[in-house]
Amino acid sequence: MTDYYINDNKKRKTIKKVFYIVSALIILFLLFSIAVGFIYELIQINEIGKNYVSIFWKNFSVKILTQIFSLIVVFFVFYFNNLIIKNNLVRILGNISIFSKNIINFIISFILALLSSSYFEKALYIKFLTSINSKPFNIKDPIFHKDIGYYIFERPFYLSIANIFLWLIIFVIIYTLLVYIISSGTGIANPKGWGILADNKVKKHLFVNLILFFIIKLWTFKYEMEGLLYSFFGEVIGVGYTDYYIRLNYYRLSYIVVTIIIILSIIFFIKKQYMNVAKVMLSFAAYWLLGNIVALAFQYFVVSPNEIVYERPFLNNNIKFTRLAYNLDNITEKKFDIDTSSTLTIADINNNKSTIDNIRITDFPTTLDIQNQIQRFKQYYIFNDADIARYTINGKTRAVFISAREINYQGIPTKTYINQRLQYTHGYGIVMSPLSDITKEGQPKFIIKDIPVKSIEGAPIVTQPRIYYGESTNQYVIVNTKEDEIDYPEGDSNKLFRYDGNGGIRLSFLNRLLFSYKYQDLRMLISTGINSNSKLLINRNIIDRAKMVAPFFEYDNDPYILIDKKGKLYWVLDAYTTTKFYPYSEPLESGVNYIRNSVKVIIDAYNGSLKFYIVDKNDPIVNVYKSIYPKLFETNSIPTDLAEHIRYPELIFKIQSEMLKRYHMTNVNVFYNKEDLWDIGKHKSSDGSIDKIPPYYSIVTLPNETKEEMILMVPFTPLKYNTMIAWLAARCDGENYGKLVLFKFTKGSTVYGPLQIENMIDQDPSISKDLSLWDQGGSKVIRGNLLILPIGNKLLYIEPIYIASDNTSALPEVKRVIASYNGKVVMGESLSDSLSLLIGSQIDLQEIKNVNNAPDTTTDNNSIIKNDEILKEIINNFEKAKQSLKSGDLEEFGKLFKKLDEQIQKIK
């Protein structure tokens, strides 16, 4: 028996030693991870921009204070809880508890506190900063009459604190219960009732924790009441009739009910009537269940039968605040008195020359496909995207596709370490093609192209074509090594290059050691090709790079590249301020219910430098971030040579368009009954399926405007109908940037929707016959996007038709252009041909004069008709003259010849 106790004692000592060693290793690992993470983040932020280091230090100071505070709180909660557990277990089981030594209690409490404090820090630090820098929206919610700024900046922090304490006490209760249960299974089981849980002091410990739970729960009722502003009870998003009269009163009564529960629990607890304590606490579950049953019954039996009457003021709140949250209240509505009584004329073309000149007959997917086939040159290059911008070319504003030729590491011929990390380091150049120009083969007409980069026909000149930071440049590289970089292919060899930009981290021995550990790259540490002058280029994906500096913004997944006046390449990345806490606003699938495109990030494609520009100074959220991080944002405006090319982002426009489908209705009755629901206009996509028309950029002259401008637009149709009812435009130029205009057609007018035009194309015997013929025998027809363009007070529909071989490497070519106006559909070999067929007279778009030199509409049309008649007479008289000469009647020939001369003079 003595040997048994000796061996058992040795076993316990061994277990304790293992426990100490494992605990020490866990603590050291956690501390090491925190320290290394801190060093990495500091080095990376410093490389992106020294002016952003202050942001890092502010975040770090708040994070560390939050973590220390939460660590201390959580540590003492668990330490004192474990002390009570220890005393109870030692008393019941003897000195065999895992908590029998205070050092073990300390270690367990510290590990639990360290793990949880790291989570709390991430959840709290940015909310704390925004709460103490809160700014008003100067709009109050209609229920609690608090400024919207409270709900967006302050309440999230207070709510997080309350929830942290609530979940902490829940975790403590579960943790305590499990420790007691596990201990009772390994010690001396009490034969009565629940075993170790039947012990009075154990029950006292558990019930004290439960009472603390109810005290904290009492604190959370305030935020649960405010949470009704985001509820989905009934037809209203936000507080509805049932919420206002039942659920709000339920929460108000909850203060009294829970207070009574706490008082009674304490009284029964003092009297050691633990069963009564349990009954009182369980009564809250019954109260909660009763409250929900009453709310559901009231909604079903009282509100639903006459919902519109009860919910009218609340629906009005829903409409008002949703429109505010998505900036729909700032949309300017205009009537579009469409002219369907007259034909399209040459004068219409003259008066809208800029619109006609910029009609897009090259589409995104086909253009990108062609770029990758004929302008890629090497597999280690790739065009990931083709974006639309506008540039002045030969004195005219032109809409163009612009694409960056980025590095493609999947296409490197031999994937050695030197190739992937030291030699193939960057992309090279861009391509640019006007949306409205094609070659005689039907392919995009590139005005910036090739390697080395060539600019032709008045296109901007690129002086620094190298792209080290890009849209999909995800791999780190090392530059200024003993190996020269491959700049671009040149004949049978390669042009070499050495990076001299500002990007990168100097690879001192310490940095080599740190980053070889981070990337698990031993060769970075031991390679003789890398020296102290070498630089490590990391965070080369421009979206990830921006997130490193400002993770609190949402970023667009479609950045686009531009050329400045010096010929350098810059990326434009749209950043959004969002929140999920805008009262009464309908949320997106992500939960976001407020969005603004308040910031543009400009990134140097060569150096990787970032600049954040505020473009919406009226947004309170971005102004709060400006207060927190004054050095984050540039004090100057975006440079003019870049600003003139930026555009309203498609992402936020899509969101606003989707919201407008319902929230254009501001009359509560119409809104509730969904009498005037809209849908996005539909068309036939390239594979023949029916889909919503994506928003598209065009350069047009808007109705009642005198100058062309770039807009982003989308058509609307009534839900389940295909006629067009309105179209929305986002303006992109100068002082009008970001202004939304909704053009609504006059009630009672019939305007063909895009899908109706698509059906007319399919039903036209001549067109459908040609399309069917081409769509067989090894070739396929690709239908481009159907575009709807305002031509004064008329609408012109244009759709390019591509033909491509079924071969995957075939180049799609624009072979026809379909045009439609007022129900007439024609197809020509070019845009000029289509418009000529549509108008009924031959036109050459290259020769059309500006409106200032064009004759008025009436004279122009009469002249065309008269010239056509004279031309027919000339042909007729010419045939008669040939017959007279052939028969030898010279007198008649002379008369006809003189008449021909007079007629020719008339049309000169």
Side-chain angles (χ1 to χ4, degrees):
M1 182 66 72
T2 304
D3 290 340
Y4 170 80
Y5 282 115
I6 291 172
N7 291 333
D8 189 52
N9 192 42
K10 286 181 179 179
K11 186 178 179 181
R12 289 179 187 173
K13 286 182 179 180
T14 302
I15 292 172
K16 285 181 181 179
K17 283 182 181 179
V18 172
F19 174 77
Y20 291 147
I21 292 169
V22 171
S23 298
L25 289 174
I26 291 172
I27 292 170
L28 286 173
F29 174 76
L30 291 172
L31 293 174
F32 176 75
S33 298
I34 292 170
V36 170
F38 162 78
I39 293 169
Y40 283 140
E41 189 174 350
L42 178 58
I43 292 173
Q44 290 176 86
I45 292 290
N46 187 64
E47 183 270 334
I48 294 172
K50 290 182 172 56
N51 54 316
Y52 300 132
V53 173
S54 62
I55 299 171
F56 169 81
W57 283 117
K58 174 166 281 191
N59 287 343
F60 174 75
S61 61
V62 174
K63 285 179 181 179
I64 201 69
L65 288 172
T66 304
Q67 193 156 9
I68 290 171
F69 177 77
S70 57
L71 189 146
I72 291 171
V73 170
V74 176
F75 172 78
F76 279 108
V77 166
F78 278 103
Y79 185 78
F80 286 115
N81 190 70
N82 287 341
L83 276 180
I84 297 170
I85 293 173
K86 170 200 166 185
N87 292 335
N88 285 334
L89 291 179
V90 169
R91 179 177 51 80
I92 298 170
L93 304 177
N95 197 28
I96 59 172
S97 167
I98 190 173
F99 299 109
S100 59
K101 297 288 184 181
N102 284 334
I103 185 64
I104 297 177
N105 181 8
F106 182 91
I107 291 171
I108 291 175
S109 300
F110 185 79
I111 290 174
L112 288 171
L114 196 60
L115 291 170
S116 57
S117 65
S118 178
Y119 167 77
F120 295 157
E121 164 259 304
K122 290 183 177 68
L124 288 177
Y125 93 92
I126 194 64
K127 292 176 182 176
F128 171 73
L129 286 170
T130 55
S131 69
I132 63 174
N133 289 277
S134 175
K135 291 189 182 297
F137 274 66
N138 296 319
I139 304 168
K140 291 185 177 180
D141 81 276
I143 305 301
F144 303 104
H145 308 292
K146 294 181 179 180
D147 189 272
I148 302 300
Y150 161 77
Y151 297 101
I152 292 175
F153 303 123
E154 298 173 39
R155 180 179 175 273
F157 175 68
Y158 303 144
L159 177 63
S160 293
I161 293 291
N163 284 336
I164 283 171
F165 277 101
L166 187 67
W167 285 106
L168 178 61
I169 193 64
I170 290 172
F171 180 77
V172 167
I173 291 168
I174 296 170
Y175 164 83
T176 303
L177 188 64
L178 288 174
V179 170
Y180 278 132
I181 291 172
I182 293 169
S183 298
S184 69
T186 57
I188 302 169
N190 190 324
K192 296 179 181 180
W194 294 347
I196 200 169
L197 299 181
D199 182 83
N200 281 338
K201 289 190 176 182
V202 171
K203 287 191 285 188
K204 184 187 293 186
H205 183 198
L206 292 171
F207 281 122
V208 166
N209 284 340
L210 286 169
I211 290 171
L212 287 173
F213 164 79
F214 279 102
I215 291 172
I216 295 171
K217 185 66 180 174
L218 199 65
W219 177 22
T220 67
F221 286 140
K222 175 183 186 299
Y223 305 112
E224 290 180 34
M225 288 174 66
E226 293 169 350
L228 293 177
L229 290 167
Y230 317 104
S231 73
F232 286 84
F233 209 71
E235 284 294 313
V236 182
I237 293 169
V239 173
Y241 192 86
T242 300
D243 293 320
Y244 190 79
Y245 288 100
I246 302 297
R247 298 176 80 189
L248 276 177
N249 287 320
Y250 161 81
Y251 283 117
R252 293 185 181 113
L253 185 60
S254 295
Y255 283 106
I256 299 172
V257 171
V258 172
T259 301
I260 292 172
I261 287 173
I262 292 170
I263 293 171
L264 289 176
S265 296
I266 292 172
I267 292 171
F268 288 131
F269 180 80
I270 292 171
K271 292 181 179 182
K272 297 184 180 179
Q273 297 175 2
Y274 300 123
M275 188 58 68
N276 287 335
V277 175
K279 289 176 181 179
V280 168
M281 289 182 173
L282 286 172
S283 68
F284 178 74
Y287 170 74
W288 174 85
L289 184 61
L290 179 64
N292 281 282
I293 291 172
V294 170
L296 288 169
F298 187 82
Q299 179 71 26
Y300 185 78
F301 292 107
V302 178
V303 178
S304 292
N306 202 8
E307 197 167 33
I308 182 60
V309 174
Y310 288 114
E311 300 288 21
R312 182 174 283 111
F314 304 103
L315 282 168
N316 192 60
N317 293 335
N318 183 187
I319 295 168
K320 175 185 175 182
F321 282 87
T322 299
R323 286 175 62 85
L324 285 168
Y326 294 99
N327 210 24
L328 305 184
D329 60 313
N330 283 324
I331 293 177
T332 301
E333 292 192 7
K334 294 185 178 182
K335 284 186 178 181
F336 191 97
D337 294 320
I338 190 165
D339 179 6
T340 57
S341 61
S342 61
T343 59
L344 193 69
T345 66
I346 286 182
D348 292 323
I349 304 298
N350 280 327
N351 293 336
N352 294 272
K353 188 171 185 302
S354 294
T355 301
I356 301 298
D357 282 347
N358 286 285
I359 290 176
R360 190 179 86 192
I361 57 173
T362 54
D363 274 349
F364 161 75
T366 48
T367 298
L368 186 62
D369 187 13
I370 292 169
Q371 287 173 177
N372 274 308
Q373 290 198 53
I374 66 176
Q375 280 290 311
R376 190 172 176 179
F377 298 119
K378 294 289 185 179
Q379 288 299 308
Y380 53 80
Y381 291 131
I382 193 169
F383 293 99
N384 294 293
D385 199 5
D387 292 298
I388 295 176
R390 62 199 178 287
Y391 276 86
T392 301
I393 298 170
N394 293 326
K396 295 181 180 180
T397 302
R398 301 299 304 272
V400 297
F401 274 124
I402 183 170
S403 301
R405 189 185 289 108
E406 293 192 58
I407 191 74
N408 172 34
Y409 286 100
Q410 299 302 316
I412 294 176
T414 307
K415 294 179 176 61
T416 63
Y417 182 79
I418 290 176
N419 280 350
Q420 291 183 297
R421 301 298 183 194
L422 277 63
Q423 288 200 313
Y424 291 88
T425 57
H426 59 276
Y428 192 93
I430 63 167
V431 295
M432 180 185 286
S433 59
L435 272 59
S436 57
D437 290 355
I438 56 175
T439 65
K440 61 182 180 180
E441 293 81 17
Q443 296 168 7
K445 186 177 182 181
F446 295 110
I447 56 176
I448 300 180
K449 59 180 182 177
D450 296 348
I451 298 177
V453 180
K454 299 181 183 70
S455 297
I456 60 175
E457 298 186 10
I461 296 173
V462 179
T463 58
Q464 178 49 275
R466 297 164 187 89
I467 300 171
Y468 280 86
Y469 299 85
E471 197 170 355
S472 62
T473 309
N474 300 314
Q475 187 166 304
Y476 69 88
V477 294
I478 304 170
V479 297
N480 293 341
T481 65
K482 290 183 180 179
E483 298 286 341
D484 289 328
E485 304 166 53
I486 293 173
D487 200 20
Y488 57 84
E490 188 177 51
D492 294 332
S493 60
N494 293 307
K495 184 79 171 178
L496 301 178
F497 183 73
R498 295 189 71 82
Y499 181 72
D500 61 356
N502 299 325
I505 299 166
R506 191 77 63 181
L507 281 178
S508 62
F509 177 75
L510 180 59
N511 283 340
R512 288 176 72 174
L513 185 64
L514 280 170
F515 285 96
S516 62
Y517 170 76
K518 177 179 175 63
Y519 294 119
Q520 302 296 297
D521 184 356
L522 181 62
R523 286 170 290 192
M524 186 189 300
L525 185 64
I526 63 175
S527 174
T528 57
I530 301 171
N531 53 55
S532 58
N533 291 321
S534 300
K535 296 170 81 175
L536 175 68
L537 272 57
I538 58 174
N539 297 315
R540 298 203 297 149
N541 181 296
I542 56 176
I543 297 177
D544 293 342
R545 196 167 178 82
K547 285 180 180 178
M548 281 291 299
V549 176
F552 37 82
F553 290 132
E554 298 291 332
Y555 293 96
D556 203 303
N557 60 3
D558 186 25
Y560 52 99
I561 201 162
L562 296 175
I563 314 164
D564 74 352
K565 64 182 179 182
K566 295 181 181 177
K568 294 187 66 178
L569 300 178
Y570 288 90
W571 292 97
V572 179
L573 175 62
D574 286 290
Y576 304 93
T577 54
T578 62
T579 183
K580 299 179 179 180
F581 301 111
Y582 201 94
Y584 267 116
S585 175
E586 181 171 333
L588 307 174
E589 287 185 10
S590 62
V592 166
N593 64 2
Y594 171 96
I595 185 169
R596 290 291 186 276
N597 174 221
S598 298
V599 176
K600 303 279 186 184
V601 190
I602 308 296
I603 305 113
D604 189 320
Y606 185 68
N607 292 311
S609 60
L610 279 74
K611 291 185 178 181
F612 290 77
Y613 293 92
I614 295 176
V615 293
D616 184 356
K617 295 180 180 179
N618 296 320
D619 175 27
I621 297 181
V622 81
N623 286 321
V624 164
Y625 287 133
K626 186 179 179 182
S627 297
I628 300 171
Y629 309 111
K631 292 187 178 180
L632 173 61
F633 302 103
E634 299 296 312
T635 55
N636 300 322
S637 300
I638 300 174
T640 306
D641 55 343
L642 292 176
E644 63 188 7
H645 307 299
I646 66 171
R647 65 193 196 189
Y648 194 77
E650 192 175 334
L651 186 148
I652 192 172
F653 187 74
K654 280 183 177 178
I655 291 171
Q656 291 171 317
S657 301
E658 288 293 327
M659 283 294 168
L660 196 63
K661 292 192 305 187
R662 186 181 186 194
Y663 285 93
H664 72 276
M665 297 181 285
T666 54
N667 180 284
V668 173
N669 285 349
V670 174
F671 181 86
Y672 174 80
N673 292 315
K674 301 176 182 176
E675 295 175 13
D676 192 21
L677 284 175
W678 290 355
D679 200 0
I680 305 296
K682 296 181 176 64
H683 73 147
K684 287 196 173 181
S685 56
S686 58
D687 61 359
S689 61
I690 296 174
D691 201 3
K692 292 179 181 179
I693 287 183
Y696 52 91
Y697 294 96
S698 295
I699 292 179
V700 303
T701 302
L702 289 174
N704 301 318
E705 297 290 339
T706 57
K707 188 180 179 183
E708 75 276 1
E709 58 184 293
M710 175 175 272
I711 64 167
L712 179 61
M713 66 179 290
V714 70
F716 289 104
T717 63
L719 185 67
K720 297 182 180 179
Y721 292 91
N722 292 321
T723 54
M724 198 167 150
I725 197 166
W727 56 281
L728 180 67
R731 306 175 76 173
C732 299
D733 288 7
E735 294 180 355
N736 291 321
Y737 175 85
K739 292 181 180 179
L740 300 178
V741 186
L742 180 65
F743 292 94
K744 300 174 78 171
F745 299 114
T746 308
K747 292 286 185 181
S749 60
T750 300
V751 182
Y752 293 116
L755 191 58
Q756 289 177 316
I757 300 298
E758 296 278 26
N759 291 334
M760 289 179 190
I761 294 170
D762 291 338
Q763 292 165 9
D764 185 281
S766 177
I767 295 175
S768 60
K769 178 184 176 182
D770 288 342
L771 296 182
S772 299
L773 182 64
W774 295 328
D775 204 16
Q776 57 185 319
S779 64
K780 60 181 178 180
V781 171
I782 302 172
R783 293 169 77 146
N785 287 345
L786 179 66
L787 306 179
I788 305 169
L789 302 167
I791 304 295
N793 60 345
K794 301 175 181 180
L795 288 180
L796 176 66
Y797 304 79
I798 299 291
E799 180 174 286
I801 299 295
Y802 288 83
I803 298 177
S805 167
D806 284 337
N807 190 323
T808 55
S809 61
L811 293 174
E813 298 176 350
V814 178
K815 288 301 183 185
R816 295 292 186 270
V817 176
I818 294 175
S820 176
Y821 170 74
N822 208 14
K824 180 181 180 181
V825 179
V826 298
M827 183 169 70
E829 294 186 1
S830 66
L831 183 59
S832 293
D833 288 344
S834 297
L835 294 177
S836 297
L837 291 169
L838 204 58
I839 292 171
S841 298
Q842 185 64 36
I843 62 172
D844 185 344
L845 295 180
Q846 301 300 320
E847 296 180 359
I848 292 176
K849 303 293 184 182
N850 190 277
V851 66
N852 295 328
N853 298 323
D856 65 64
T857 307
T858 306
T859 304
D860 188 59
N861 287 336
N862 290 339
S863 298
I864 294 167
I865 295 168
K866 190 174 181 181
N867 286 342
D868 285 345
E869 292 172 351
I870 294 172
L871 186 60
K872 289 178 182 178
E873 290 178 9
I874 290 173
I875 294 170
N876 186 45
N877 288 331
F878 180 72
E879 291 297 326
K880 288 180 180 179
K882 285 199 300 181
Q883 290 296 328
S884 299
L885 184 63
K886 187 175 181 181
S887 62
D889 189 350
L890 297 179
E891 183 179 354
E892 182 64 16
F893 174 80
K895 290 178 182 179
L896 290 169
F897 187 84
K898 184 178 180 182
K899 195 171 184 179
L900 280 170
D901 184 67
E902 290 172 353
Q903 289 171 330
I904 292 170
Q905 294 299 322
K906 287 180 182 180
I907 63 171
K908 275 190 176 181

